[in-house]
Amino acid sequence: MRQNAAPGVQETAPADVRHTVRAVQGAALGWLSRNRAHFALGDDALARDGRVDGSWKPLGELAQVCATLSVRTPPSGPLHACVRDLLAFAWRQTGEGALFCEVQRAEPFATYPLEVYAAFASAGLRHPGYERAAATVAATRGWRLAEQLPTRRLGVLCAERQIGLHRDDDEPALVARTWLGGLPEPWTFERASGYALTHVVFHLTDWGRGGPDLPPAVAEHLAHWAPAWLVTCLEGGLWDLACEVAAVAAGVPAAGTDATFEAELAGAWVRIAGVQYASGALPEEDGRVAAEVPHEETVPPRDGASAGGASGFRLCYHSTLMAAFAAGLTLARWDDAGVPRAYGGRRDAPVKTPTTPTTGGTG
């Protein structure tokens, strides 16, 4: 049975737990920074038979997380500087946006270039030439009528929104057709539905930066059941999904949560911290990385590549990103005078690349 609404978020976030979350985030960002070379785009990034999941996808995920953390970390703090540096690195990998134009010419109806680019655009890193080309394609019937599952369509709408494109899709109807939007029985939660629900939330909230936000019925459903789903992931050793669900929980409006909800969110971080490697990496799940991701890496000073190798990197980079992401949203929830604005709120000044312009050519 749910208790009455908690009197304040801060009351359920003791100082030692806050310290734990900050430590998890700092260690994760440190590992990501030292291993940034593995995010670099290779020669196959523009190849027709290239592996998008091994090139553009990791880079886009790095950009997405850093774009959010750039407005969810104190501007004067070292973690903010680290996030800005990683975001600048990722932007340089794209030729400051020029590579998006090349991908657009080769695959005009692929959605992944827009989704990756949108993460940069949300942080103020833009390429006018690419945006003109993307807008031209997005105006076609072929683009608008592409057959996509509701969660995928929400992701494309989120990306379009980030660069100022808007269409007349019935977003509430799309949400209602998703697993989460249908307010499912809580016991039907499993890995696939877990990743689906987290991404519905991320797309509706522009990855913790604003967006149209959650429908009231969905927010209420999450207030009831996100803690149980989070515990399910933790007990199953699904650390990557646990971090995603924790990120979702951090954005549920506090007015609809109770003391149990807040205690479960706080307790999750103690368990996540307990499995994080000393290096800062977090395994995706129990038993996946024991021999491939060492607890400590010897990092060459020139390129930041990990001695653990690319295979070990692939098995933990996403979960490490999600740990940093969820920690940032959780701390923002607790530090906002005890009254979180869910995922909405102010947008700080755009992140600028320290040594290069924020816009590319007109290509």
Side-chain angles (χ1 to χ4, degrees):
M1 179 179 295
R2 284 170 55 81
Q3 303 171 15
N4 293 330
V9 172
Q10 288 184 325
E11 294 180 22
T12 60
D16 59 335
V17 177
R18 292 169 184 254
H19 176 78
T20 295
V21 179
R22 291 191 182 96
V24 168
Q25 184 183 41
L29 286 171
W31 186 89
L32 292 165
S33 183
R34 295 195 305 274
N35 287 274
R36 70 180 64 193
H38 287 308
F39 288 100
L41 293 177
D43 295 336
D44 64 340
L46 298 177
R48 288 187 177 276
D49 59 350
R51 290 180 60 255
V52 173
D53 285 353
S55 57
W56 286 100
K57 182 175 180 288
L59 187 73
E61 290 164 341
L62 176 67
Q64 196 74 264
V65 167
C66 289
T68 295
L69 293 182
S70 70
V71 296
R72 294 298 189 187
T73 50
S76 60
L79 295 186
H80 186 77
C82 177
V83 166
R84 289 170 60 96
D85 187 48
L86 283 169
L87 192 55
F89 163 82
W91 183 238
R92 290 193 298 271
Q93 290 299 308
T94 72
E96 296 174 5
L99 287 187
F100 290 108
C101 294
E102 297 188 40
V103 177
Q104 177 81 6
R105 295 187 191 103
E107 301 181 79
F109 290 95
T111 60
Y112 74 86
L114 176 65
E115 293 177 89
V116 174
Y117 176 82
F120 292 108
S122 71
L125 301 171
R126 310 189 76 139
H127 190 290
Y130 172 72
E131 292 193 19
R132 286 195 295 272
T136 298
V137 172
T140 65
R141 291 189 296 275
W143 177 272
R144 296 196 307 271
L145 298 174
E147 297 182 16
Q148 297 162 327
L149 293 173
T151 304
R152 285 292 312 119
R153 179 60 64 92
L154 288 172
V156 174
L157 291 176
C158 175
E160 291 178 352
R161 199 162 50 237
Q162 298 284 5
I163 69 169
L165 301 178
H166 299 278
R167 55 169 128 164
D168 297 328
D169 280 40
D170 187 349
E171 201 160 57
L174 279 175
V175 174
R177 289 168 51 207
T178 66
W179 186 85
L180 176 62
L183 309 181
E185 299 87 350
W187 50 265
T188 62
F189 176 90
E190 56 185 1
R191 184 197 299 254
S193 54
Y195 280 111
L197 84 86
T198 60
H199 282 72
V200 166
V201 173
F202 298 159
H203 298 327
L204 287 176
T205 60
D206 290 355
W207 289 82
R209 299 184 293 269
D213 221 339
L214 304 176
V218 170
E220 183 179 3
H221 201 65
L222 288 170
H224 278 279
W225 300 115
W229 294 337
L230 179 55
V231 170
T232 296
C233 296
L234 294 168
E235 292 182 348
L238 303 176
W239 308 112
D240 182 67
L241 183 54
C243 287
E244 290 203 9
V245 176
V248 166
V252 176
T257 65
D258 60 16
T260 300
F261 181 104
E262 304 300 340
E264 293 289 4
L265 177 59
W269 285 105
V270 177
R271 299 182 69 167
I272 291 168
V275 297
Q276 186 179 36
Y277 288 120
S279 66
L282 185 76
E284 281 190 355
E285 59 186 79
D286 282 348
R288 284 288 300 278
V289 298
E292 297 184 72
V293 181
H295 285 230
E296 295 287 357
E297 305 102 338
T298 301
V299 183
R302 288 183 299 174
D303 61 9
S306 165
S311 62
F313 173 84
R314 285 192 297 270
L315 288 174
C316 63
Y317 86 86
H318 188 268
S319 42
T320 307
L321 277 171
M322 287 301 101
F325 176 65
L329 295 180
T330 301
L331 290 169
R333 176 185 185 86
W334 291 342
D335 291 342
D336 190 19
V339 186
R341 294 182 294 269
Y343 283 114
R346 67 185 178 88
R347 295 172 184 262
D348 288 352
V351 175
K352 297 183 181 295
T353 307
T355 57
T356 56
T358 59
T359 58
T362 59

